[in-house]
Amino acid sequence: MKYIAFGIAGGIGIYGAWFALSYLLRDTVKSAAQLQAQYRFPLYGSISATAKKGGRQGGQSRYEQEKEILLNRIRLSCRKQGIHRLCLAADFEPDDQEQACLQELCGQLEQWGISAAAAWKIGKNAAQWDALSEVGNVLLVCKRGVTTHREIDEQMEFYQENGIRVTGAALFHTDAG
């Protein structure tokens, strides 16, 4: 019986160590704080498109609060830098809620006089690269647990080589974080 208990405890310990090690060694963006610490561009905020369904606080959902903060920071930055055209660029395939969120962000920016367009799977579409070079300003859209640091580094290298200014970043996350 004692060997069974040791075996179970050892198995749990080995699994826990493997899970922790694989989490730490995974190359994906794990948090907003990590993204801010690793890169020099500003992080305007994080938003959970899945929080749209509920979570009302004081008459406004968490999604609406996060969206308002993100939009106001982007608008202020664009105004200070004289930016009138902006591309919200994601290198991942957003789900339906995230696509709707990107379109809402672009719509509000358009109302404020900033011509905005959303593009995703940027790395796989040459036509979008051409459009980005015409716009000249990009807001990186990253997704926690999906976007890798290698992808961000490759995008940044391309943007710098082609004179595209990265104004900042926004981070999508799930309700859990």
Side-chain angles (χ1 to χ4, degrees):
M1 196 60 152
K2 130 174 122 171
Y3 293 116
I4 292 173
F6 283 136
I8 291 173
I12 291 172
I14 290 171
Y15 175 77
W18 174 80
F19 181 80
L21 189 60
S22 67
Y23 176 81
L24 291 173
L25 294 177
R26 201 172 308 140
D27 189 34
T28 60
V29 173
K30 294 172 185 63
S31 69
Q34 179 199 36
L35 192 62
Q36 284 180 306
Q38 191 156 352
Y39 296 99
R40 289 186 293 202
F41 50 75
L43 177 66
Y44 294 126
S46 63
I47 188 167
S48 174
T50 58
K52 212 175 198 181
K53 300 175 198 166
R56 296 214 169 265
Q57 298 170 345
Q60 207 177 30
S61 71
R62 190 175 106 217
Y63 167 76
E64 290 296 328
Q65 291 171 347
E66 291 173 343
K67 184 175 85 167
E68 185 177 339
I69 290 168
L70 180 62
L71 280 167
N72 284 325
R73 289 177 179 170
I74 294 169
R75 179 175 57 106
L76 179 62
S77 176
C78 287
R79 185 184 317 154
K80 286 190 168 253
Q81 297 179 45
I83 295 171
H84 300 287
R85 296 176 69 191
L86 184 65
C87 180
L88 282 65
D91 201 29
F92 62 92
E93 180 73 41
D95 62 26
D96 292 339
Q97 291 174 324
E98 291 164 343
Q99 286 181 20
C101 177
L102 286 170
Q103 295 306 323
E104 287 177 26
L105 293 172
C106 289
Q108 183 60 54
L109 290 170
E110 290 278 347
Q111 289 179 4
W112 288 333
I114 301 166
S115 177
W120 45 85
K121 293 195 90 172
I122 289 289
K124 296 177 177 60
N125 190 337
Q128 288 183 341
W129 284 115
D130 293 338
L132 269 178
S133 64
E134 289 177 22
V135 171
N137 299 295
V138 68
L139 176 87
L140 288 178
V141 179
C142 304
K143 187 171 183 179
R144 193 179 78 190
V146 174
T147 303
T148 65
H149 293 285
R150 182 183 51 81
E151 290 170 339
I152 294 172
D153 294 341
E154 287 173 358
Q155 286 179 355
M156 292 298 294
E157 183 179 326
F158 175 82
Y159 297 145
Q160 289 174 349
E161 288 173 355
N162 292 286
I164 299 170
R165 183 168 57 178
V166 176
T167 61
L171 182 65
F172 276 122
H173 62 88
T174 61
D175 283 335

